[in-house]
Amino acid sequence: MDIKKTPKKLNVKEKYRLMTRDLAWEPSYRDEKEIYPYVDYEGIKVHDWSKWEDPFRLTMDAYWKYQAEKERKYYAIIDAHAQNNGHLNVTDARYLTAIKLFLQSISPGEYASHRGFARVGREFAGVGPQVACQMQSIDEIRHAQTQVHAMSNYNKFYNGFKDFANQRDRIWYTSVARSFFDDAMSAGPFEFLIAIGFSFEYVLTNLLFVPFMSGAAYNGDMATCTFGFSAQSDEARHMTLGLECIKFMLEQDPDNIPIVQKWIDKWFWRGCRLLTLVAAMMDYMLPKRVMSWREAWNIYGVENGNALFRDLARYGIKPPMHWDDVEKSIDHTSHQIMLGLYQWKFGTAFHSWTPTASDIEWLKEKYPTTFEKYYLPRWEYAIAQKENGGEYNNFGLPKLCQTCQLPCLFTEPDDPTQLAHRETEYEGEKYHFCSDGCQHVFEQEPEKYVQAWLPMPSMMQEPLKGDLAAWMEWASLEPTAAGEYASSEDKANFEKWRKQVSTD
């Protein structure tokens, strides 16, 4: 009688190989360059795709198991939050401004990342990065969905939440996030992984999903806190994927080093400009604060960043070009962007306010060398205006940066009393920038960034060249906190003006 042989149980490494690497095949009737045309597009040389390593050894069956368990716990908490009127537990209505800003800027970015990883997973020739990108694409759409679900309860009771998808494309302060992700999604596959895996995941995510989500818990918002920490375990894997991509490229060929260095310089700066929104959220929009933007940067920016670049130094990679400028700006960024949000509040989809006496004392303590000297007098002027029955609004046309698309409201790195302004000429047109970093990014790929549609330069072009009356007609239509216009007639007038401009 034959003895039935028990199948050998595969170890994790063997299972990973069977369910990932063994899915690859050699093309027979099409050339590989026809199938993967973008692999050589950026000049990156890859000699052996099998050298790509996934430190997590994650297979699809294990992935669904882990994610399903997180989903069960996550939705149990947000259901309890809704059933117990959790929206009444937040510390202050000001806190909701931070959530609106997050929903308008960051959540659409998660969806853009999902689309991007779905694309680059198809464009890589190696099965290792194909599987990793597939999983991260699913992660990113899950994050976008869970963020919307967590905040959906607030939409039942407060305005400013429901139209976030349209606001992402139409509001001035969301342009920095929109331009970041549009830039990444229009890049080649390797640069996309640097943009998202390094800049968005490594630089931005730690500063957002750890200190800010702790701030959400501290301010009574368990729904937002839960989606933040539910996503953070995914983000650890995403950061690892980004770093693995960098090391993989550097180890494949020495010619890849200057290309990777250029991308690190670019996307570090672009990520830091995106972080200006997070800085305002942490320093001004949390009634109960966990830490200041400066303290968060010291932990998650300086310490983590220095550790990363010490590790990459053996490959010949240096710290990003504009690291010193970013470090000098940290004590100024949150104040400058918040003053911008306040003076242009007629064009925001949330309420703005002046800091209270306790806020001012906290800011003095956390920023002893900058806040009282440079920014308190401006806030005191705005407070005095308000006490006298007025409001400080800036109805002038702000000069926009061609790269990050924010108004040029930042100061010189070595002189906080002077606004930074840079200018360059390309094919007979002048372009403006808020910093050396944004100008440098533009000058590397001017043919890409000249395509950005910016409303202010369009005012000076046909058909509205010099027609300031049309601009003032639009600017006088003050939107509500929900981002909607006061009447159907006002909205119709605005749409008419917008169509006029878009025909340019």
Side-chain angles (χ1 to χ4, degrees):
M1 182 177 177
D2 293 337
I3 299 174
K4 190 174 181 180
K5 187 177 180 181
T6 305
K8 178 186 175 184
K9 186 175 181 181
L10 300 176
N11 61 35
V12 173
K13 191 172 183 179
E14 292 172 328
K15 189 176 181 182
Y16 172 76
R17 178 178 55 80
L18 286 170
M19 299 188 72
T20 57
R21 304 308 170 95
D22 280 10
L23 299 177
W25 68 89
E26 292 293 329
S28 58
Y29 58 92
R30 287 288 186 183
D31 184 73
E32 194 169 271
K33 289 190 176 181
E34 288 184 88
I35 303 173
Y36 306 110
Y38 295 105
V39 168
D40 300 326
Y41 166 71
E42 300 158 295
I44 294 293
K45 298 176 182 178
V46 177
H47 304 293
D48 186 358
W49 282 101
S50 68
K51 296 296 184 182
W52 180 286
E53 291 292 337
D54 179 3
F56 286 87
R57 299 270 190 264
L58 192 62
T59 56
M60 193 53 75
D61 61 334
Y63 174 82
W64 292 123
K65 178 182 176 182
Y66 297 145
Q67 297 300 78
E69 182 64 25
K70 288 199 295 185
E71 293 283 283
R72 282 194 293 271
K73 294 176 180 178
Y74 168 74
Y75 281 103
I77 293 173
I78 66 167
D79 284 348
H81 179 267
Q83 292 169 16
N84 290 282
N85 293 320
H87 65 285
L88 299 177
N89 294 329
V90 296
T91 48
D92 192 299
R94 292 177 298 168
Y95 169 77
L96 296 176
T97 297
I99 301 303
K100 293 173 187 177
L101 185 55
F102 186 101
L103 186 62
Q104 294 157 15
S105 303
I106 306 300
S107 298
E110 301 273 18
Y111 182 72
S113 296
H114 148 71
R115 293 179 59 200
F117 276 104
R119 172 179 66 87
V120 302
R122 168 62 183 84
E123 292 171 353
F124 283 129
V127 71
Q130 287 174 0
V131 172
C133 288
Q134 178 190 11
M135 292 183 189
Q136 183 153 349
S137 177
I138 300 168
D139 280 342
E140 301 293 3
I141 196 169
R142 173 182 175 267
H143 295 173
Q145 291 170 341
T146 54
Q147 288 164 17
V148 173
H149 293 165
M151 299 177 196
S152 61
N153 189 54
Y154 294 120
N155 185 47
K156 299 176 184 178
F157 305 99
Y158 309 117
N159 62 18
F161 285 92
K162 69 181 179 64
D163 205 28
F164 68 92
N166 285 327
Q167 290 163 346
R168 179 255 185 191
D169 292 329
R170 290 177 170 84
I171 299 180
W172 65 269
Y173 55 84
T174 61
S175 61
V176 64
R178 181 179 68 248
S179 66
F180 178 98
F181 288 101
D182 286 350
D183 193 353
M185 291 178 69
S186 56
F190 287 106
E191 185 181 352
F192 177 85
L193 276 189
I194 298 286
I196 305 300
F198 164 68
S199 182
F200 184 61
E201 304 290 0
Y202 196 91
V203 177
L204 174 68
T205 297
N206 277 336
L207 285 158
L208 182 63
F209 280 91
V210 181
F212 181 73
M213 297 308 165
S214 299
Y218 201 46
N219 283 273
D221 183 4
M222 293 311 298
T224 300
C225 171
T226 303
F227 86 62
F229 289 120
S230 174
Q232 187 61 19
S233 58
D234 297 331
E235 304 298 350
R237 182 159 32 83
H238 299 172
M239 286 188 285
T240 305
L241 174 62
L243 299 182
E244 173 57 32
C245 175
I246 293 174
K247 291 181 179 180
F248 173 76
M249 288 187 283
L250 296 173
E251 290 171 355
Q252 284 294 303
D253 197 287
D255 290 347
N256 295 341
I257 295 174
I259 301 174
V260 173
Q261 181 70 64
K262 181 179 73 172
W263 288 340
I264 288 175
D265 292 344
K266 169 187 174 178
W267 288 103
F268 172 76
W269 180 260
R270 296 234 60 189
C272 288
R273 267 295 177 254
L274 177 55
L275 283 170
T276 57
L277 300 179
V278 182
M281 291 158 71
M282 290 185 62
D283 278 349
Y284 283 89
M285 298 180 186
L286 297 181
K288 284 188 175 181
R289 301 169 180 87
V290 176
M291 62 177 71
S292 68
W293 171 241
R294 161 53 78 181
E295 291 166 332
W297 174 258
N298 287 344
I299 297 172
Y300 301 104
V302 176
E303 292 181 15
N304 290 4
N306 286 337
L308 170 64
F309 291 110
R310 280 196 300 268
D311 185 32
L312 295 179
R314 59 195 169 104
Y315 298 103
I317 293 297
K318 301 174 184 177
M321 179 185 296
H322 299 287
W323 178 279
D324 291 340
D325 285 352
V326 171
E327 174 60 29
K328 292 173 185 175
S329 72
I330 294 298
D331 291 330
H332 302 273
T333 301
S334 64
H335 316 303
Q336 291 170 358
I337 193 67
M338 192 64 190
L339 282 161
L341 291 170
Y342 182 77
Q343 65 182 314
W344 291 305
K345 54 185 170 290
F346 54 86
T348 66
F350 49 70
H351 299 287
S352 297
W353 60 89
T354 54
T356 64
S358 60
D359 293 336
I360 289 172
E361 290 305 312
W362 185 88
L363 290 165
K364 283 182 182 178
E365 178 188 344
K366 297 300 180 181
Y367 297 95
T369 61
T370 57
F371 177 74
E372 190 168 7
K373 182 177 181 180
Y374 299 112
Y375 304 104
L376 181 57
R378 295 164 69 181
W379 282 120
E380 287 176 337
Y381 176 79
I383 291 169
Q385 292 274 89
K386 203 167 186 177
E387 288 174 349
N388 292 329
E391 282 284 353
Y392 178 69
N393 292 311
N394 183 351
F395 290 111
L397 300 178
K399 188 177 292 182
L400 301 180
C401 175
Q402 189 71 24
T403 303
C404 72
Q405 301 184 19
L406 282 174
C408 295
L409 51 77
F410 303 103
T411 54
E412 294 286 355
D414 296 312
D415 186 359
T417 64
Q418 293 292 321
L419 287 176
H421 173 250
R422 304 292 183 268
E423 186 178 283
T424 194
E425 189 169 318
Y426 178 72
E427 294 186 347
E429 290 283 339
K430 288 185 178 180
Y431 297 93
H432 304 285
F433 308 95
C434 66
S435 58
D436 292 323
C438 283
Q439 182 182 12
H440 175 78
V441 170
F442 176 92
E443 289 174 346
Q444 300 305 303
E445 301 175 275
E447 64 281 353
K448 183 176 188 177
Y449 297 101
V450 296
Q451 299 178 58
W453 187 88
L454 303 180
M456 302 314 161
S458 297
M459 302 288 177
M460 302 299 115
Q461 298 170 353
E462 300 294 346
L464 285 181
K465 186 175 182 180
D467 190 359
L468 294 182
W471 160 251
M472 292 307 295
E473 178 187 357
W474 172 79
S476 65
L477 305 178
E478 187 169 345
T480 67
E484 297 171 343
Y485 289 83
S487 69
S488 58
E489 182 183 357
D490 286 344
K491 189 170 184 179
N493 288 337
F494 171 68
E495 289 299 327
K496 179 181 176 183
W497 178 86
R498 189 169 65 82
K499 287 175 182 176
Q500 220 179 338
V501 175
S502 65
T503 59
D504 177 29

